Amino acid sequence: MINFASDNCSGVHPQILEALEEANHNAAIAYGDDIYTEKAIKKFKPIFGDNIEVYFVYNGTAANTLAISGITNSYHAIACAETSHLNEDECGAPEKFSGCKLITLPSKDGKITIDQIEKYLFDLDFEHRSQLKVISITQPTEFGVLYSNEEVKTLADFVHKNKLYLHMDGARIANAAAALQQDFKSITRDLGVDVLSFGATKNGLMFGEAVVFFNPNLCPHFKYVRKQGMQLHSKMRYISAQFDAYLTNDLWLKNAQKANDMTRLFHSKIKDISQLSVTQKVDANAIFATLPKKIIEKLQEEFLFYLWNPLMDEVRWMTSFNTTKEEVSLFYERIKTSV
């Protein structure tokens, strides 16, 4: 079946596979004390600045959960969109490992605003309430919508003014950077993000994500958090080698641009189909749309995609670095002849 379900369903980029093969030739010191990990971490420094800490983990749930756990105590609270992965797709891991309360904020496009957060500030220093400590945002959101730089900067300034931290779930941060036509630092650290879950699996890696602290003093004990969180990979070089290749010659950007371009192409074809309604802004590599249930069921016989909201017959279509123009055209033709 042709994949429009998720960039998680796509394969591994050939250059990443080559990097894994090269790392497999000889033995290497375990637990990250290897030349591959040293080299990969050095690749992050020109991108984000020298004064950072980078920790590799196995998956996105770990990146989000441990990033939050590292900067909170169990009496703290974390505010996030109700549609965020922290709330909907981590199986309760953030609450279990951090002990923190999640404050979930309603959002039609996955974004959250200062107005939604302000009312929780009245509970600060009141010992009967969980203490708000972290605001977590996703870029792009789970609906594929981008925060503008101004929106992130405004949130960050508000967060820091109130002695809170700003976490960014960057599972698809490469797609965001490509869509905004900016580098990683410009859309994260420069805007005031404190800690970033840096995703790459959705953009060509086999496995592996990174947690990036833009203030090394924010979590000086994170190596213990990672170990206790069961994410200190013994053969760390197999994560690190992938990141080394990923951050070389803008492979991350080429992959993300391809995914975004395929979504834009698909959107340009389907937007005039009268029985189909796009429900969210198309900013990166995701399209959310409604169409008749019988058409959805027919299309799913040939194409892999998710029914996102059964109550309104809303689907999600995603493209990845290896989506082709031919696949987009074929899908469009099937939709057009089905309506």
Side-chain angles (χ1 to χ4, degrees):
M1 298 180 73
I2 298 175
N3 171 42
F4 284 91
S6 175
D7 37 16
N8 264 335
C9 298
S10 62
V12 180
H13 193 279
Q15 289 178 234
I16 301 299
L17 287 174
E18 289 175 12
L20 284 165
E21 176 64 24
E22 193 279 329
N24 198 45
H25 285 167
N26 299 298
I29 302 297
Y31 300 109
D33 293 324
D34 58 89
I35 59 173
Y36 299 96
T37 301
E38 180 183 5
K39 188 178 178 184
I41 289 175
K42 284 182 178 178
K43 284 283 178 70
F44 277 82
K45 300 298 178 73
I47 294 171
F48 289 111
D50 290 333
N51 194 29
I52 62 172
E53 291 290 337
V54 180
Y55 298 88
F56 297 121
V57 297
Y58 191 78
N59 58 29
T61 296
N64 284 335
T65 298
L66 298 185
I68 293 297
S69 299
I71 56 177
T72 56
N73 288 305
S74 57
Y75 53 80
H76 284 137
I78 303 152
C80 59
E82 63 184 2
T83 56
S84 67
H85 262 63
L86 279 181
N87 182 47
E88 288 202 331
D89 294 284
E90 314 290 26
C91 196
E95 293 102 326
K96 177 179 175 60
F97 283 91
S98 71
C100 295
K101 177 183 179 66
L102 282 188
I103 298 172
T104 57
L105 307 174
S107 176
K108 292 182 179 180
D109 59 3
K111 292 184 184 181
I112 56 178
T113 63
I114 289 173
D115 292 344
Q116 294 176 292
I117 301 166
E118 279 183 316
K119 64 179 180 180
Y120 296 101
L121 299 180
F122 296 111
D123 290 334
L124 293 182
D125 295 326
F126 183 52
E127 63 195 65
H128 298 282
R129 300 285 189 272
S130 295
Q131 298 295 291
L132 183 62
K133 192 61 180 178
V134 177
I135 309 302
S136 179
I137 62 175
T138 308
Q139 179 72 321
T141 73
E142 284 72 19
F143 286 106
V145 178
L146 290 170
Y147 283 91
S148 69
N149 283 7
E150 182 180 2
E151 288 173 323
V152 176
K153 181 68 164 58
T154 299
L155 271 172
D157 289 346
F158 172 81
V159 163
H160 296 149
K161 178 182 177 182
N162 289 282
K163 300 180 180 179
L164 310 177
Y165 298 130
L166 181 63
H167 165 256
M168 179 179 283
D169 178 353
R172 295 183 174 92
I173 192 66
N175 299 94
L180 292 167
Q181 298 182 356
Q182 297 182 54
D183 59 52
F184 286 128
K185 184 170 179 284
S186 297
I187 65 172
T188 57
R189 186 176 192 175
D190 287 351
L191 301 179
V193 175
D194 294 299
V195 57
L196 169 68
S197 298
F198 185 93
T201 304
K202 292 177 171 63
N203 197 37
L205 265 64
M206 181 179 288
F207 58 89
E209 313 282 277
V211 178
V212 184
F213 289 96
F214 297 126
N215 177 0
N217 297 321
L218 193 59
C219 188
H221 54 275
F222 190 77
K223 64 181 181 179
Y224 305 112
V225 175
R226 179 173 64 173
K227 175 64 177 180
Q228 194 176 65
M230 298 167 283
Q231 289 291 315
L232 180 60
H233 195 34
S234 59
K235 296 185 178 181
M236 185 74 74
R237 70 185 188 271
Y238 293 106
I239 296 179
S240 307
Q242 293 180 80
F243 271 101
D244 184 19
Y246 184 68
L247 298 175
T248 298
N249 296 326
D250 288 337
L251 178 60
W252 67 269
L253 180 58
K254 296 169 188 174
N255 286 358
Q257 283 179 331
K258 174 69 178 304
N260 292 357
D261 287 347
M262 292 301 99
T263 285
R264 281 194 290 270
L265 174 63
F266 190 29
H267 183 224
S268 71
K269 289 177 175 292
I270 65 171
K271 62 183 181 180
D272 294 327
I273 298 177
S274 59
Q275 288 183 264
L276 184 154
S277 177
V278 175
T279 59
Q280 297 284 348
K281 288 178 62 181
V282 180
D283 286 341
N285 65 322
I287 295 175
F288 289 78
T290 58
L291 64 165
K293 183 177 181 180
K294 63 180 182 179
I295 296 175
I296 294 173
E297 293 173 345
K298 183 177 180 181
L299 291 170
Q300 285 182 321
E301 295 175 1
E302 187 176 359
F303 300 90
L304 187 64
F305 62 90
Y306 292 120
L307 178 59
W308 190 261
N309 185 345
L311 297 179
M312 56 185 291
D313 294 328
E314 182 182 39
V315 299
R316 185 188 74 173
W317 295 320
M318 297 204 72
T319 57
S320 67
F321 75 91
N322 59 2
T323 302
T324 66
K325 292 181 180 180
E326 291 74 20
E327 289 173 335
V328 169
S329 295
L330 178 61
F331 197 15
Y332 163 68
E333 291 297 333
R334 292 292 192 274
I335 296 172
K336 189 173 66 171
T337 56
S338 298
V339 296

